[in-house]
mmCIF file of all heavy atoms in Angstrom:
data_model
loop_
_atom_site.group_PDB
_atom_site.id
_atom_site.type_symbol
_atom_site.label_atom_id
_atom_site.label_comp_id
_atom_site.label_asym_id
_atom_site.label_seq_id
_atom_site.Cartn_x
_atom_site.Cartn_y
_atom_site.Cartn_z
ATOM 1 N N GLU A 72 5.475 33.753 29.402
ATOM 2 C CA GLU A 72 5.314 33.830 30.855
ATOM 3 C C GLU A 72 6.320 32.915 31.539
ATOM 4 O O GLU A 72 5.986 32.135 32.426
ATOM 5 C CB GLU A 72 3.887 33.491 31.251
ATOM 6 C CG GLU A 72 2.884 34.500 30.704
ATOM 7 C CD GLU A 72 1.447 34.201 31.134
ATOM 8 O OE1 GLU A 72 1.235 33.277 31.918
ATOM 9 O OE2 GLU A 72 0.554 34.923 30.682
ATOM 10 N N GLY A 73 7.584 33.001 31.135
ATOM 11 C CA GLY A 73 8.647 32.256 31.810
ATOM 12 C C GLY A 73 8.778 30.796 31.434
ATOM 13 O O GLY A 73 9.642 30.087 31.961
ATOM 14 N N VAL A 74 7.929 30.324 30.538
ATOM 15 C CA VAL A 74 7.978 28.920 30.147
ATOM 16 C C VAL A 74 8.529 28.811 28.734
ATOM 17 O O VAL A 74 8.178 29.606 27.841
ATOM 18 C CB VAL A 74 6.575 28.246 30.207
ATOM 19 C CG1 VAL A 74 6.632 26.810 29.756
ATOM 20 C CG2 VAL A 74 6.011 28.342 31.614
ATOM 21 N N ASN A 75 9.392 27.817 28.495
ATOM 22 C CA ASN A 75 9.988 27.607 27.163
ATOM 23 C C ASN A 75 8.925 26.911 26.279
ATOM 24 O O ASN A 75 8.437 25.844 26.587
ATOM 25 C CB ASN A 75 11.224 26.729 27.367
ATOM 26 C CG ASN A 75 11.959 26.457 26.066
ATOM 27 O OD1 ASN A 75 11.722 27.157 25.054
ATOM 28 N ND2 ASN A 75 12.831 25.490 26.089
ATOM 29 N N VAL A 76 8.608 27.593 25.173
ATOM 30 C CA VAL A 76 7.544 27.064 24.262
ATOM 31 C C VAL A 76 8.156 26.922 22.857
ATOM 32 O O VAL A 76 8.770 27.889 22.379
ATOM 33 C CB VAL A 76 6.336 28.052 24.200
ATOM 34 C CG1 VAL A 76 5.359 27.646 23.140
ATOM 35 C CG2 VAL A 76 5.681 28.153 25.566
ATOM 36 N N HIS A 77 8.025 25.768 22.264
ATOM 37 C CA HIS A 77 8.556 25.589 20.877
ATOM 38 C C HIS A 77 7.451 25.882 19.884
ATOM 39 O O HIS A 77 6.322 25.438 20.029
ATOM 40 C CB HIS A 77 9.084 24.166 20.708
ATOM 41 C CG HIS A 77 10.423 23.966 21.336
ATOM 42 N ND1 HIS A 77 11.160 22.797 21.219
ATOM 43 C CD2 HIS A 77 11.225 24.818 22.028
ATOM 44 C CE1 HIS A 77 12.307 22.967 21.852
ATOM 45 N NE2 HIS A 77 12.357 24.158 22.381
ATOM 46 N N ILE A 78 7.805 26.676 18.879
ATOM 47 C CA ILE A 78 6.841 27.073 17.841
ATOM 48 C C ILE A 78 7.366 26.661 16.496
ATOM 49 O O ILE A 78 8.474 27.021 16.110
ATOM 50 C CB ILE A 78 6.605 28.597 17.901
ATOM 51 C CG1 ILE A 78 6.041 28.990 19.288
ATOM 52 C CG2 ILE A 78 5.644 29.050 16.780
ATOM 53 C CD1 ILE A 78 5.805 30.485 19.471
ATOM 54 N N LEU A 79 6.564 25.902 15.771
ATOM 55 C CA LEU A 79 6.905 25.459 14.424
ATOM 56 C C LEU A 79 6.433 26.460 13.406
ATOM 57 O O LEU A 79 5.324 26.983 13.518
ATOM 58 C CB LEU A 79 6.287 24.095 14.136
ATOM 59 C CG LEU A 79 6.821 22.921 14.956
ATOM 60 C CD1 LEU A 79 5.793 21.801 15.051
ATOM 61 C CD2 LEU A 79 8.108 22.392 14.352
ATOM 62 N N GLY A 80 7.277 26.790 12.416
ATOM 63 C CA GLY A 80 6.859 27.666 11.334
ATOM 64 C C GLY A 80 6.868 26.860 10.059
ATOM 65 O O GLY A 80 7.784 26.071 9.830
ATOM 66 N N TYR A 81 5.791 27.015 9.271
ATOM 67 C CA TYR A 81 5.702 26.294 7.998
ATOM 68 C C TYR A 81 5.301 27.223 6.886
ATOM 69 O O TYR A 81 4.620 28.224 7.089
ATOM 70 C CB TYR A 81 4.603 25.179 8.071
ATOM 71 C CG TYR A 81 4.924 24.050 8.988
ATOM 72 C CD1 TYR A 81 4.086 23.791 10.092
ATOM 73 C CD2 TYR A 81 6.046 23.231 8.780
ATOM 74 C CE1 TYR A 81 4.380 22.738 10.952
ATOM 75 C CE2 TYR A 81 6.318 22.190 9.625
ATOM 76 C CZ TYR A 81 5.492 21.926 10.715
ATOM 77 O OH TYR A 81 5.759 20.882 11.553
ATOM 78 N N ASN A 82 5.654 26.823 5.696
ATOM 79 C CA ASN A 82 5.166 27.444 4.457
ATOM 80 C C ASN A 82 5.468 28.959 4.342
ATOM 81 O O ASN A 82 4.691 29.690 3.767
ATOM 82 C CB ASN A 82 3.636 27.227 4.350
ATOM 83 C CG ASN A 82 3.185 27.356 2.917
ATOM 84 O OD1 ASN A 82 3.871 26.872 2.014
ATOM 85 N ND2 ASN A 82 2.037 27.984 2.662
ATOM 86 N N PHE A 83 6.608 29.336 4.923
ATOM 87 C CA PHE A 83 7.032 30.742 4.813
ATOM 88 C C PHE A 83 7.843 30.929 3.535
ATOM 89 O O PHE A 83 8.331 29.938 2.955
ATOM 90 C CB PHE A 83 7.870 31.150 6.035
ATOM 91 C CG PHE A 83 8.908 30.143 6.378
ATOM 92 C CD1 PHE A 83 10.172 30.148 5.791
ATOM 93 C CD2 PHE A 83 8.621 29.122 7.325
ATOM 94 C CE1 PHE A 83 11.102 29.190 6.099
ATOM 95 C CE2 PHE A 83 9.580 28.169 7.648
ATOM 96 C CZ PHE A 83 10.847 28.194 7.020
ATOM 97 N N SER A 84 7.973 32.181 3.127
ATOM 98 C CA SER A 84 8.825 32.458 1.952
ATOM 99 C C SER A 84 10.304 32.447 2.352
ATOM 100 O O SER A 84 10.670 33.073 3.356
ATOM 101 C CB SER A 84 8.440 33.826 1.374
ATOM 102 O OG SER A 84 9.456 34.239 0.494
ATOM 103 N N LEU A 85 11.094 31.794 1.568
ATOM 104 C CA LEU A 85 12.564 31.763 1.855
ATOM 105 C C LEU A 85 13.211 33.056 1.368
ATOM 106 O O LEU A 85 14.416 33.266 1.573
ATOM 107 C CB LEU A 85 13.189 30.538 1.189
ATOM 108 C CG LEU A 85 12.797 29.224 1.857
ATOM 109 C CD1 LEU A 85 13.133 28.038 0.982
ATOM 110 C CD2 LEU A 85 13.499 29.081 3.228
ATOM 111 N N LYS A 86 12.409 33.927 0.737
ATOM 112 C CA LYS A 86 12.959 35.210 0.272
ATOM 113 C C LYS A 86 12.632 36.316 1.283
ATOM 114 O O LYS A 86 12.995 37.470 1.063
ATOM 115 C CB LYS A 86 12.374 35.552 -1.085
ATOM 116 C CG LYS A 86 12.771 34.556 -2.162
ATOM 117 C CD LYS A 86 12.466 35.068 -3.564
ATOM 118 C CE LYS A 86 12.985 34.128 -4.602
ATOM 119 N NZ LYS A 86 11.948 33.181 -5.080
ATOM 120 N N GLY A 87 11.948 35.986 2.364
ATOM 121 C CA GLY A 87 11.595 36.990 3.359
ATOM 122 C C GLY A 87 12.774 37.393 4.202
ATOM 123 O O GLY A 87 13.880 36.836 4.077
ATOM 124 N N SER A 88 12.554 38.386 5.066
ATOM 125 C CA SER A 88 13.663 38.833 5.922
ATOM 126 C C SER A 88 13.375 38.664 7.421
ATOM 127 O O SER A 88 14.291 38.746 8.231
ATOM 128 C CB SER A 88 13.997 40.318 5.611
ATOM 129 O OG SER A 88 12.828 41.094 5.819
ATOM 130 N N SER A 89 12.123 38.478 7.804
ATOM 131 C CA SER A 89 11.809 38.370 9.237
ATOM 132 C C SER A 89 12.372 37.132 9.886
ATOM 133 O O SER A 89 12.954 37.178 10.961
ATOM 134 C CB SER A 89 10.293 38.356 9.489
ATOM 135 O OG SER A 89 9.630 39.309 8.715
ATOM 136 N N ILE A 90 12.195 36.003 9.232
ATOM 137 C CA ILE A 90 12.708 34.740 9.789
ATOM 138 C C ILE A 90 14.245 34.735 9.845
ATOM 139 O O ILE A 90 14.842 34.418 10.869
ATOM 140 C CB ILE A 90 12.073 33.501 9.098
ATOM 141 C CG1 ILE A 90 10.589 33.441 9.495
ATOM 142 C CG2 ILE A 90 12.824 32.233 9.466
ATOM 143 C CD1 ILE A 90 9.821 32.286 8.862
ATOM 144 N N PRO A 91 14.939 35.112 8.733
ATOM 145 C CA PRO A 91 16.375 35.185 8.840
ATOM 146 C C PRO A 91 16.875 36.109 9.973
ATOM 147 O O PRO A 91 17.828 35.770 10.658
ATOM 148 C CB PRO A 91 16.793 35.712 7.455
ATOM 149 C CG PRO A 91 15.731 35.235 6.549
ATOM 150 C CD PRO A 91 14.456 35.304 7.357
ATOM 151 N N ALA A 92 16.150 37.243 10.172
ATOM 152 C CA ALA A 92 16.563 38.131 11.261
ATOM 153 C C ALA A 92 16.378 37.472 12.622
ATOM 154 O O ALA A 92 17.215 37.612 13.524
ATOM 155 C CB ALA A 92 15.762 39.460 11.182
ATOM 156 N N LEU A 93 15.291 36.738 12.767
ATOM 157 C CA LEU A 93 15.047 36.047 14.039
ATOM 158 C C LEU A 93 16.083 34.951 14.244
ATOM 159 O O LEU A 93 16.602 34.760 15.363
ATOM 160 C CB LEU A 93 13.624 35.424 14.033
ATOM 161 C CG LEU A 93 13.219 34.768 15.342
ATOM 162 C CD1 LEU A 93 13.219 35.756 16.498
ATOM 163 C CD2 LEU A 93 11.780 34.154 15.207
#
Side-chain angles (χ1 to χ4, degrees):
E72 297 182 4
V74 177
N75 182 15
V76 173
H77 283 184
I78 300 178
L79 292 156
Y81 292 119
N82 203 39
F83 45 86
S84 164
L85 289 164
K86 296 193 175 96
S88 58
S89 315
I90 290 178
L93 184 60

